[in-house]
Amino acid sequence: MAGTAQKPFFGDTPEMLWGDPQTLSGEQAVFLQCGRGSIHHKWLSNTGRNWDLIVNYYDDSYLHSPIGDIAFYQRGTKFSGVYNVAQVFPSLLSYRHILLLDDDLLFGVEALSQLFRIAEEKDLHLFQSSLTADSYCAWPLLHHQKGERDARPVNAVEIMMPGFSGEALKLCLSDFPRSLSGWGLDFLCGERVSQHFDQAPQVIDSVQARHTKVINTEDGAYYRFMRSLGIDPAKELKAICKEFGLTPDIMAL
């Protein structure tokens, strides 16, 4: 499943920095992959927050701006982080819904609460908010669309901000080692969830988030990090799509 370059990151035991799992609500949660340059301070507030905040730090920035109801440290990516945290904190898979967010997204606390309410009301298994018109995104279909519907079906959601039911995350977790970069997991998780739950992934247009950073696959820090590990995201994507017969395109259903 995991290749030679991916294996050191999956199965690596994360260091728990602080927090008591017994104090968590266990209902809804945000898993934030967080490092230096994170913009969480622009949106995070405990006022009105009714979801748990689980943070995985991939650098030592926790020394300067600690956040989270429970926090872990490990070098890697969001998907290796979620995979490894679930091994030492299995309650991660018991949440009714959990969002896996990158640290360059701008939300509001109430917007996140609204997203969870809609996911709960519609019993969604894989979903995301829509993106503002000025967001950087490879898939125009995921930008906000005006209309009367709360949700619209697609074949996959963005790896920067997927929301899972606990059941769906449990279903998809074993696939995470297939792609350290995350490329290809969007399409594979979409296929898994659609087949298992007979429910397409959903974009929630009544909630918007802004993706603030340019996606720079040539010289962006994330992609430089991938290259330093010998990881080619395009090859990870191609391998997944070839193995499972998937089309690498986000489409309306």
Side-chain angles (χ1 to χ4, degrees), residues 133-153:
D134 60 347
S135 289
Y136 296 101
C137 181
W139 313 105
L141 182 67
L142 301 180
H143 285 99
H144 175 72
Q145 294 184 11
K146 294 181 179 179
E148 298 180 358
R149 296 181 299 174
D150 263 338
R152 51 188 165 91

Side-chain angles (χ1 to χ4, degrees), residues 161-186:
M161 56 194 307
F164 289 85
S165 68
E167 297 170 275
L169 184 56
K170 191 179 300 183
L171 173 71
C172 296
L173 189 71
S174 62
D175 286 318
F176 285 9
R178 296 179 184 275
S179 178
L180 183 62
S181 69
W183 283 36
L185 293 179
D186 37 12

Side-chain angles (χ1 to χ4, degrees), residues 203-217:
V203 179
I204 311 301
D205 277 311
S206 54
V207 180
Q208 297 183 57
R210 181 169 177 254
H211 183 223
T212 60
K213 291 184 181 178
V214 176
I215 301 171
N216 184 347
T217 59

Side-chain angles (χ1 to χ4, degrees), residues 9-253:
F9 291 91
F10 292 93
D12 185 28
T13 303
E15 176 189 355
M16 185 173 169
L17 298 173
W18 61 78
D20 180 358
Q22 300 302 316
T23 65
L24 302 177
S25 73
E27 300 294 324
Q28 318 278 6
V30 168
F31 183 102
L32 178 64
Q33 179 76 354
C34 188
R36 196 168 288 104
S38 173
I39 60 170
H40 66 266
H41 60 280
K42 294 185 178 181
W43 58 263
L44 181 61
S45 167
N46 286 326
T47 304
R49 178 162 69 86
N50 58 1
W51 35 267
D52 296 334
L53 179 60
I54 302 165
V55 180
N56 182 62
Y57 286 94
Y58 55 86
D59 62 22
D60 64 358
S61 56
Y62 64 87
L63 295 170
H64 311 290
S65 55
I67 59 167
D69 299 311
I70 186 169
F72 299 86
Y73 168 79
Q74 59 187 314
R75 181 173 172 263
T77 68
K78 181 170 64 183
F79 292 99
S80 65
V82 172
Y83 182 90
N84 292 331
V85 166
Q87 312 310 311
V88 298
F89 176 47
S91 297
L92 187 73
L93 304 176
S94 300
Y95 281 95
R96 293 210 301 268
H97 292 98
I98 182 166
L99 286 166
L100 312 182
L101 300 185
D102 288 357
D103 63 3
D104 57 356
L105 290 162
L106 270 179
F107 272 98
V109 169
E110 176 52 37
L112 288 166
S113 297
Q114 183 183 357
L115 189 58
F116 283 128
R117 282 196 297 271
I118 293 170
E120 187 75 17
E121 289 167 3
K122 295 183 177 295
D123 193 24
L124 299 181
H125 292 287
L126 184 58
F127 59 96
Q128 70 163 85
S129 75
S130 61
L131 288 160
T132 59
D134 60 347
S135 289
Y136 296 101
C137 181
W139 313 105
L141 182 67
L142 301 180
H143 285 99
H144 175 72
Q145 294 184 11
K146 294 181 179 179
E148 298 180 358
R149 296 181 299 174
D150 263 338
R152 51 188 165 91
V154 291
N155 65 315
V157 298
E158 248 287 0
I159 57 171
M160 72 173 89
M161 56 194 307
F164 289 85
S165 68
E167 297 170 275
L169 184 56
K170 191 179 300 183
L171 173 71
C172 296
L173 189 71
S174 62
D175 286 318
F176 285 9
R178 296 179 184 275
S179 178
L180 183 62
S181 69
W183 283 36
L185 293 179
D186 37 12
F187 306 111
L188 181 53
C189 290
E191 178 71 10
R192 296 279 199 218
V193 167
S194 294
Q195 294 296 321
H196 186 84
F197 297 101
D198 193 26
Q199 181 191 85
Q202 303 284 319
V203 179
I204 311 301
D205 277 311
S206 54
V207 180
Q208 297 183 57
R210 181 169 177 254
H211 183 223
T212 60
K213 291 184 181 178
V214 176
I215 301 171
N216 184 347
T217 59
E218 293 299 320
D219 198 41
Y222 182 75
Y223 294 100
R224 291 199 307 271
F225 176 55
M226 288 294 101
R227 284 197 297 274
S228 75
L229 302 175
I231 296 290
D232 184 337
K235 288 183 179 178
E236 290 190 315
L237 168 64
K238 184 177 180 180
I240 287 175
C241 289
K242 181 179 180 181
E243 181 176 353
F244 294 95
L246 304 174
T247 301
D249 189 17
I250 293 184
M251 300 173 285
L253 299 177

